[in-house]
Amino acid sequence: MPSIRPGSGARPPTIADVAEAASVSRTTVSHALNDIGKVDPRTRARIKRVAAELGYRPNLRAQRLRRGQAKAIALASSMPFAVAGGPSRLGFYMEVAAAAAERALVHDYALVLIPPVQSGSALYSVDIDGAIVVEPDEDDAAVAQLRGRGLPYVTLGRPAPGDDAPYVDLHGGRVAEVLLDHLREQGARHPALLVGAGARHSAVDARAAYLRAAEEHGWTPAVATAPEEGGEQAGYDACAALLDAHPEVDALCALVDAFAVGAIRAVRDRGRRVPEDIMLVTRYDGLRARTCEPPLTAVDLQLERAAGEAVELLLSRLIAGGDDAAATGPQPPCEPRVIARASSLRVPPGG
């Protein structure tokens, strides 16, 4: 059992203590520490030095009441637990959260993690100034609740059609292109696509990229969709039906990692091998991809950089008072990079 050591009982220093030690009024201390008002720069610096020496910490609750700000932003998504949970919870969402929290803290903001928003009042019960919504779907529950509260938000990944919120693009189409190029380089002649059934742009853009590639290379299109809430089992069912309808398929791009894991089981249950008979790739290079058997080829999405850009974009909206014209969606500039693993690397003849 953990032990608890009681405090020493010493009273923490107050703003009055700082004022007395610096020989100024409490109002001057408040203005100096909050960088407001007309305070001589030398006096401001001296007050801050005295406050640091005394170990003074501002009363955050009082600041909240005075400024009308929570100094907190939320990270929210409507991705269901079947996809966002399990190993993925330690992957995509937490990778974004860690990077966003670090960048927010630089600006003296806290990051609040919201469980997957399906319905109810998840975003009505937290005190926040705005939010980052991760890959919103059409009629997204998180977006609806933020709009209901009148809170500014930005999206990580393009917003749903008709939503003009500022965003940081995760380049769903380009990611699909590099995965399909990889499969073709490995010898695929009849690749198929498996995506979520919703309208998240990662799926919409991937489907468009796949159809362009099919036309360019003369593939017969084979596209399957699965409900996100079905998780691995939905991926299994969709892949099984796809292989029954298109036995010629020799490669599968399953964008959702949970679907990809289910698809591997479906391939094996039909007496086929990965990657010898069917190569398989997915989008996110997370724990699911790395611990799958065989490990899944995936893409470095540069989530740390993208999450940091999303925080900066949201804070620029907050500073601008929610004016969309003052914030535009920056684009992570680096090319998506394929992390090739056993699921798509075929053994050379005689190897």
Side-chain angles (χ1 to χ4, degrees):
M1 177 178 294
S3 60
I4 299 176
R5 184 175 65 183
S8 64
R11 178 179 64 83
T14 66
I15 196 169
D17 297 325
V18 177
E20 181 179 356
S23 300
V24 296
S25 69
R26 282 181 290 183
T27 298
T28 301
V29 170
S30 178
H31 286 179
L33 297 182
N34 289 289
D35 292 317
I36 60 176
K38 296 181 179 179
V39 181
D40 181 83
R42 291 171 297 179
T43 302
R44 191 186 301 274
R46 179 168 58 85
I47 291 171
K48 289 184 176 182
R49 184 177 66 252
V50 169
E53 290 171 351
L54 292 177
Y56 171 75
R57 296 289 182 271
N59 186 319
L60 296 180
R61 181 175 297 177
Q63 284 189 346
R64 170 71 174 95
L65 293 173
R66 184 168 59 250
R67 295 177 178 175
Q69 292 179 313
K71 297 295 285 186
I73 58 176
L75 184 69
S77 174
S78 63
M79 197 76 70
F81 270 115
V83 172
S88 284
R89 187 179 301 167
L90 302 175
F92 188 95
Y93 194 58
M94 292 311 297
E95 186 175 344
V96 169
E102 183 177 2
R103 185 66 66 90
L105 193 60
V106 170
H107 298 284
D108 296 323
Y109 276 79
L111 183 77
V112 179
L113 298 183
I114 307 297
V117 179
Q118 299 297 306
S119 59
S121 58
L123 279 163
Y124 285 107
S125 59
V126 291
D127 189 10
I128 55 174
D129 297 318
I132 299 167
V133 181
V134 180
E135 295 200 296
D137 203 347
E138 193 172 26
D139 300 322
D140 194 88
V143 168
Q145 291 183 28
L146 289 164
R147 285 177 171 170
R149 290 184 60 179
L151 290 174
Y153 65 92
V154 301
T155 69
L156 183 59
R158 288 168 59 198
D163 186 348
D164 60 355
Y167 65 92
V168 175
D169 202 342
L170 292 179
H171 301 290
R174 183 58 188 146
V175 167
E177 287 173 0
V178 299
L179 286 170
L180 292 168
D181 286 346
H182 168 77
L183 290 173
R184 196 165 58 85
E185 290 166 2
Q186 290 295 309
R189 295 296 176 264
H190 303 285
L193 179 70
L194 172 57
V195 293
R200 300 186 199 280
H201 264 292
S202 55
V204 173
D205 294 350
R207 182 195 290 264
Y210 172 81
L211 293 177
R212 288 195 302 270
E215 182 177 5
E216 178 182 353
H217 300 294
W219 303 333
T220 299
V223 179
T225 61
E228 291 175 344
E229 60 271 18
E232 292 184 12
Q233 187 58 46
Y236 177 98
D237 295 340
C239 180
L242 180 73
L243 294 180
D244 289 344
H246 299 276
E248 75 280 4
V249 164
D250 60 357
L252 178 64
C253 181
L255 269 294
V256 178
D257 56 359
F259 292 171
V261 173
I264 283 184
R265 289 196 293 112
V267 169
R268 287 173 172 162
D269 284 355
R270 270 150 180 72
R272 302 175 76 174
R273 301 166 298 167
V274 176
E276 292 85 354
D277 300 316
I278 296 182
M279 294 180 285
L280 205 146
V281 298
T282 192
R283 182 177 73 136
Y284 172 56
D285 182 36
L287 195 59
R288 257 197 183 109
R290 295 192 295 270
T291 60
C292 185
E293 183 53 46
L296 295 170
T297 289
V299 175
D300 176 8
L301 297 175
Q302 302 163 56
L303 289 181
E304 180 176 355
R305 184 175 204 162
E309 299 248 12
V311 169
E312 297 290 347
L313 185 59
L314 176 59
L315 295 184
S316 72
R317 287 202 72 192
L318 296 177
I319 292 170
D323 182 4
D324 287 346
T328 57
Q331 311 296 316
C334 300
E335 176 76 0
R337 181 174 65 91
V338 171
I339 312 293
R341 297 196 179 94
S343 69
S344 69
L345 297 176
R346 285 187 165 155
V347 179

